[in-house]
Structures are given as structure tokens and as C-alpha cells.
Amino acid sequence: GVKVVIGPLTSAEARAMLPYANEHDIMLLSPSSTAPSLALSDNLVRLCPNDVHQAEAMAALMLGQGVGTALTVHGREPYGEELNATFRERFAAKGGTLHDGVVFSTTQPDFPGTAERLVAACTADAGDPPAILFIGSDEHYIALLKALPQGSPPTKLRWYATDSLTTSETATRDPVAGALAAETRLTGLALSTEDDCFHIYAQLILQMVSKRIRQRPTPYVTATWDALWLAAEAYRVDPDAEFAALKNTLVAKAKNAFGALGFWEVDDYGDKVAARYGVFEVQPSGKNAYAWRTIGAYVAEPYEEPVLRFIPPERLPNPQRTTVTIPVLVPLSGCLLYTSDAADEEDSVDIGGRRIIK
């Protein structure tokens, strides 16, 4: 009796589930499946941009930072294979030069062997040294870095990452991976929730989830939230609708409704039309500590040319502790000062466990 499923997460899962969903009249609302080959007329709606957008954004990002030569490392699964192929096509079309890539198994990984092939790939070509684009999970990234010989050519090149790794705190907390990510200026794209004030809902949702799980969640949490509300909206119109009517309502809502990440606005294949990515870079955040810092954004709206913008270095937040003077305008009638040890009980009042001087 299930008509709507929120999920699956990956493109490999979606590819495996879709035949059953199509045959049994079940809608799949995926928050994070991005393989371009799944853009079909079927029972899959994806509330995130597919990887044609990410490939375009990554090519623009690397070329925008002066990187003209790239070497890709990707997993042998739909996400990695399709994003790798699309990136290489778009990067070359924009004038970039590509080295032979390195592929690793995601089911039976051999990262010492992958590291050996990567070292060979970095030294095989006598042309300009490439930047390395890693297309894989944080676990795969950490395993690969730990398998690389210290001081080998890949550890001295610039690295980039796709949305399956970018903003992962698992990678920055690992002492080996975090240090090498900062040294190689690991820069990546992640679904943007920070580009403008209209997405304040996304920030509130991420804060709620962060408090519950006690770490920074993936931005795809907001797409999952949107999937829940999209399903609820479709059922609200007619709780007892047959599948065909429910699907029509759901798709109509998905084409013109506002969620945590802005307008859902999916195309005829059920994929989100607009693409917004934050640009992040791993930087030191203290002694033996590293964190992802926002350094820019990429926005591709359906009716405009894509825009890549970087935050000027002087406007980036300083991760070091510092003192900031903030001017404050106070009324002529005086102000209330919060303190924890007011000396004169008569001139103060306790509110919420804090002593406030009158």
C-alpha cells in the first residue's frame, strides 16, 4: 500500500529500485541521487540538481582558480563513473587539459594499489602538473591518503573534491587526512544552503539536526526535509487519491512550490532545475585542527548564465581568536547590562538565572 518513498540516497540504489517502483506504482523522492542517466520519465523525483550541473560547476571552479590541467580519481559505481565522464567532457570543452584518470573499486577497494597507480599517473606526463579531482566518499578519501607514500608527488599537488566529500567533518577530524587536506588546499562543492537570505529555513533545519546528531550534517538533509513536505502536500490535496492522481499532484507541486532550498521547480524528468553550490576549502582552525571554510558560491538559474563568485580574502572569517569592537547605539534612558556577580542586590534583579543591573 505504500505509494511514496523518501529515498533512496545514492544513484546506485535508485537504479536498482526504480524498476520495482515503476512496476508497482511507487514514487521515489530522492534527496541526493544525482547521476545524469537517471533523468528519465519515470517514478523518480530528485530534489537536488543532477551532476551535469556539478560537472559544469567544478570545471568552472578549477579553471576560475587558474587550474588548467586535471587528473581525476573516481569510484567504479554510477555516481563516480558518470560524474567523472561528464566533468572530463566539460573541462575539456572549456579548454582544460586532462591526464589519464585513476579508478578504484568501491566494493573491493585496494587503496595501496590505487595509491601506487595515482603516483604513477602524476609522474607519467611531462606536461603541466595536474590538480587532482577526487570523486568518492570521505572514507575512500581518508583510506587513499593514508596509503600514499609520504612526500610522494600527489601529496604536493592541489586537490579538489565533489559533494560526496565536501564539508565532511570525518575527513577534517582525521589527523592524517585533515593535515594533508589543508596542505593541498582541498577545495570542493557542496549543495548550497548559505547563498542568500531566502534560505534561512535551511539554516534553521541544519541547526536543529546539528543539535540532535552533534555534528555538522550533510546539506542533503534539507532536500530530505523538502521531500517530506512535498509528499505531505500531495497527500493533503487528496489523502485517498489513486496513484495516477497522486503522482500528477506531486509532480505539479514539485514544479512550482517553495521549500527549504528555494523553489523545487523540477523539470519534465523530475530533476531540480536550478543548481546552487557552495565552494569550500579546508583550512587550519587551530593547533592540529582543520575545518571547511566557505570561500565562494556557484549559482546556475534556469534563465540566466551560471555565476561563479569568490569571497575576497579580506572578507573571509578569521578562524583565530581575536577581539572585535562593535559600536552600539543605546537609548538616552540608559541600558541593561548582563552580569553574573552584581554587588548591589537593590540595584539588580535576577531574570532567568542572570543578574541584571538596573
Side-chain angles (χ1 to χ4, degrees):
V2 173
K3 297 177 183 176
V4 178
V5 171
I6 297 176
L9 294 179
T10 71
S11 295
E13 292 165 350
R15 182 173 290 174
M17 292 172 63
L18 257 176
Y20 185 93
N22 291 335
E23 183 180 350
H24 293 84
D25 290 340
I26 299 172
M27 288 299 298
L28 303 180
L29 305 183
S30 177
S32 51
S33 163
T34 57
S37 63
L38 293 173
L40 304 168
S41 297
D42 52 23
N43 287 354
L44 175 65
V45 170
R46 301 192 285 186
L47 296 172
C48 60
N50 74 41
D51 283 332
V52 170
H53 291 291
Q54 186 173 185
E56 286 273 7
M58 182 57 71
L61 169 61
M62 294 176 75
L63 292 167
Q65 292 190 319
V67 174
T69 306
L71 186 161
T72 58
V73 180
H74 74 277
R76 190 178 288 114
E77 42 78 35
Y79 169 80
E81 290 176 339
E82 292 188 33
L83 181 49
N84 173 70
T86 309
F87 165 76
R88 293 177 72 88
E89 174 191 321
R90 301 306 164 94
F91 189 71
K94 292 178 182 290
T97 301
L98 290 156
H99 284 214
D100 291 338
V102 175
V103 185
F104 61 88
S105 170
T106 57
T107 54
Q108 295 179 315
D110 170 23
F111 284 106
T114 304
E116 186 177 333
R117 294 196 302 276
L118 179 57
V119 171
C122 290
T123 55
D125 198 309
D128 293 335
I132 298 173
L133 171 61
F134 184 82
I135 308 173
S137 70
D138 47 9
E139 291 89 351
H140 294 152
Y141 172 75
I142 293 169
L144 176 59
L145 291 195
K146 289 184 175 180
L148 285 172
Q150 188 173 6
S152 60
T155 66
K156 299 177 182 179
L157 298 174
R158 181 79 186 269
W159 283 61
Y160 287 82
T162 56
D163 60 352
S164 55
L165 168 60
T166 305
T167 73
S168 166
E169 292 186 350
T170 302
T172 53
R173 285 175 180 169
D174 184 273
V176 174
L180 196 51
E183 289 176 15
T184 59
R185 295 176 60 197
L186 178 64
T187 304
L189 300 172
L191 196 66
S192 177
T193 57
E194 302 170 300
D195 56 339
D196 58 41
C197 62
F198 293 108
H199 292 176
I200 187 65
Y201 303 110
Q203 295 302 318
L204 294 174
I205 293 163
L206 290 174
Q207 287 175 20
M208 287 190 292
V209 176
S210 297
K211 185 176 180 180
R212 180 67 62 88
I213 67 175
R214 298 183 179 178
Q215 66 178 6
R216 179 175 180 156
T218 166
Y220 289 100
V221 162
T222 51
T224 310
W225 180 282
D226 277 353
L228 172 64
W229 281 97
L230 177 57
E233 276 291 287
Y235 272 109
R236 183 182 63 81
V237 172
D238 185 354
D240 302 314
E242 294 296 325
F243 177 77
L246 178 68
K247 178 179 178 179
N248 288 339
T249 300
L250 192 149
V251 172
K253 290 283 184 183
K255 287 188 174 183
N256 190 27
F258 195 84
L261 290 175
F263 280 101
W264 288 322
E265 196 173 3
V266 301
D267 60 22
D268 291 338
Y269 296 124
D271 283 1
K272 194 173 175 67
V273 176
R276 294 166 179 250
Y277 298 100
V279 181
F280 299 83
E281 181 180 301
V282 175
Q283 299 175 3
S285 63
K287 186 177 181 180
N288 298 323
Y290 312 94
W292 293 93
R293 306 292 182 190
T294 307
I295 64 169
Y298 175 92
V299 178
E301 296 290 354
Y303 312 112
E304 301 175 4
E305 288 296 314
V307 176
L308 173 67
R309 290 286 185 267
F310 295 104
I311 302 172
E314 65 272 13
R315 296 185 184 178
L316 288 172
N318 186 345
Q320 306 301 321
R321 183 179 296 275
T322 186
T323 300
V324 179
T325 301
I326 303 176
V328 179
L329 182 66
V330 298
L332 292 176
S333 58
C335 63
L336 298 179
L337 300 178
Y338 283 83
T339 181
S340 58
D341 54 353
D344 191 342
E345 293 288 336
E346 294 183 358
D347 291 331
S348 64
V349 61
D350 187 281
I351 297 180
R354 286 181 177 270
R355 186 65 58 183
I356 300 176
I357 300 176
K358 295 180 183 178

